[in-house]
Amino acid sequence: MKRILTYGTFDLLHWGHINLLKRARAQGDYLVVGASTDEFNTAKGARRPSYHQFEVRKTMLEAVRYVDLVIPEESWEQKIEDIRRFHIDTVVMGDNWKGSERFEHLRSFCDVVFLPRTPGFSTSQIRRDLLVD
Ligand code: C2G
């Protein structure tokens, strides 16, 4: 069984997120998603709190057919432990993270795959669009 791991905030879940989760799951047989906690979002330098709090974002992710398990992402440092704990073969992220030391160093522990982002979809754009209605 090939086990995949990805991370993100996944706020206002949209097609860009689903398309990432779908392609990540297709890389193996089991997908673990590390959903950023509200506190970690602040630590990540988010300009504003997510629209949905962690528990709502976690529940929405658990309803996605491609997702097998959702865990809290509470720090940058937890990834190696997550890889070990869940016997991960591949970490998959959107390619806006390509080259980031946050992920490139994980290559010592598992494969790391960056997938093209889905153009035209972003949580911040959704928020801006809703402001004009
Ligand atoms: N994504 C995508 N296409 C989009 C939007 C997002 O492929 N149009 C991908 C991102 O590249 C990321 C995942 O969907 O891999 C989740 O996106 P975000 O919720 O924006 O996550 P991010 O803020 O990148 O947090 O430790 C890593 C961080 O938690 C990732």
Side-chain angles (χ1 to χ4, degrees):
M1 172 185 278
K2 192 170 177 191
R3 302 164 69 88
I4 314 295
L5 172 63
T6 190
Y7 294 93
T9 303
F10 296 100
D11 192 26
L12 294 176
L13 204 59
H14 55 66
W15 169 237
H17 296 139
I18 302 296
N19 195 28
L20 186 284
L21 295 169
K22 179 177 183 178
R23 289 174 293 155
R25 175 66 174 73
Q27 302 260 330
D29 311 286
Y30 187 86
L31 175 61
V32 180
V33 179
S36 310
T37 61
D38 300 323
E39 296 77 13
F40 184 53
N41 270 335
T42 305
K44 283 190 326 190
R47 288 192 305 276
R48 63 168 72 85
S50 56
Y51 182 84
H52 290 307
Q53 292 184 346
F54 172 75
E55 282 306 322
V56 171
R57 293 186 281 110
K58 177 175 185 285
T59 303
M60 290 176 74
L61 283 164
E62 287 167 342
V64 176
R65 66 183 304 162
Y66 307 114
V67 175
D68 296 287
L69 176 68
V70 181
I71 61 172
E73 180 192 28
E74 300 171 290
S75 73
W76 292 114
E77 294 72 27
Q78 74 179 76
K79 294 177 172 52
I80 295 169
E81 181 52 33
D82 289 344
I83 289 164
R84 289 191 175 122
R85 184 173 161 215
F86 296 101
H87 310 290
I88 298 300
D89 298 288
T90 308
V91 166
V92 175
M93 294 296 293
D95 61 6
N96 52 298
W97 290 96
K98 190 175 177 65
S100 164
E101 189 39 44
R102 300 289 190 191
F103 290 93
E104 293 296 345
H105 77 286
L106 300 177
R107 292 187 191 280
S108 308
F109 304 94
C110 64
D111 293 334
V112 179
V113 171
F114 297 101
L115 300 175
R117 283 173 66 91
T118 304
F121 292 86
S122 77
T123 302
S124 47
Q125 186 59 50
I126 292 170
R127 294 178 84 133
R128 283 193 295 272
D129 291 351
L130 290 176
L131 277 176
V132 297
D133 280 355

